[in-house]
Amino acid sequence: MKVKEPIASEYQFLREDLTLFTYLHLAADRPLTEALLGADTRSIAYETVQDATGLPLLTPMSEIAGRLAAHAAATYLTAPEGGPGLLLGGSPGVTPARVVVIGGGVVGTQAALLALGIQATSGSPGSGMTSPSAIA
């Protein structure tokens, strides 16, 4: 079991009697796809595992990615990072930043919830989302 897809230096360890269970992202990695096919390795991509509730292995990773996206946005808004020197949540007497989230899936929802949690205003284009109750 591996958390991350094999890197080129690990392709030599792929073989027919091996089952690889990890995130694969094969659409973006032709050399890995070819290495797996060439080695005839049985491969199960976490992002394709489904049960009655949906994608139980991909959803938590998407939730983390959404939360990290809001943190990254906050970082890049700071002056030391070359941004305009904004705080997402503003401060007393200063209007909070407006965050526009493109996409309302798991990642987008988590990014919007985190932005709202630190008191930024948030929404998706055309959605009218401006408060946590609009998302929850």
Side-chain angles (χ1 to χ4, degrees), residues 81-99:
E81 293 295 326
L86 296 175
L87 292 173
L88 282 182
S91 63
V94 177
T95 303
R98 177 171 170 78
V99 175

Side-chain angles (χ1 to χ4, degrees), residues 23-74:
Y23 287 104
L24 288 171
H25 312 291
L26 294 177
D29 195 342
R30 185 176 185 98
L32 173 59
T33 303
E34 291 172 350
L36 290 168
L37 289 170
D40 202 24
T41 301
R42 181 180 299 118
S43 303
I44 303 167
Y46 290 161
E47 65 269 24
T48 64
V49 174
Q50 295 182 341
D51 67 8
T53 66
L55 300 163
L57 303 178
L58 182 60
T59 299
M61 292 297 286
S62 296
E63 290 171 347
I64 293 167
R67 290 170 183 240
L68 287 174
H71 283 291

Side-chain angles (χ1 to χ4, degrees), residues 6-17:
I7 57 175
S9 64
E10 297 172 325
Y11 294 174
Q12 64 182 319
F13 301 114
L14 299 174
R15 57 186 193 274
E16 186 176 351
D17 65 333

